[in-house]
């Protein structure tokens, strides 16, 4: 597992640098938690093709999950809500 620190900026410059770091580190998929990371992950997925898995911690719809490769849930009730 590789951790890549971020300031969660949504600027093109920051996201381009993040995509390059992920690729150069050999990262094959990213796993995001919480809204800022989910949104940044969705941008990396859409514009740079980085496979992304988000964690749905609550029963709140997040539009950016529609572009994730997968969304996982910590409980059956949360999973049922998102299905």
């Amino acid at each position: 597992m590789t951790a890549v620190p971020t300031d969660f900026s949504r600027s093109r410059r920051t996201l381009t640098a993040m995509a390059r770091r992920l690729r150069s580190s050999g990262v094959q998929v990213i796993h995001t938690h919480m809204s800022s990371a989910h949104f940044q992950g969705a941008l990396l997925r859409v514009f740079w093709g980085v496979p992304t898995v988000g964690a749905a911690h609550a029963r709140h719809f997040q539009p950016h999950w529609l572009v994730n490769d997968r969304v996982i849930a910590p409980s059956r009730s949360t999973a049922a809500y998102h299905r």
Side-chain angles (χ1 to χ4, degrees):
M1 181 168 72
T2 302
V4 179
T6 180
D7 63 1
F8 297 108
S9 168
R10 296 174 186 172
S11 73
R12 181 179 176 91
R13 182 177 174 196
T14 298
L15 290 167
T16 299
M18 173 73 73
R20 286 184 183 141
R21 283 179 33 206
L22 291 169
R23 287 190 181 129
S24 69
S25 298
V27 172
Q28 296 176 342
V29 64
I30 60 173
H31 180 194
T32 62
H33 291 265
M34 308 310 284
S35 295
S36 293
H38 290 318
F39 191 79
Q40 191 177 51
L43 293 174
L44 288 165
R45 174 73 179 101
V46 169
F47 294 109
W48 288 274
V50 178
T52 305
V53 175
H57 292 281
R59 290 183 266 172
H60 300 280
F61 177 70
Q62 300 288 327
H64 45 76
W65 288 335
L66 295 172
V67 300
N68 282 8
D69 293 281
R70 297 284 187 270
V71 176
I72 59 175
S75 71
R76 288 184 180 147
S77 64
T78 301
Y81 172 86
H82 289 289
R83 275 193 212 102

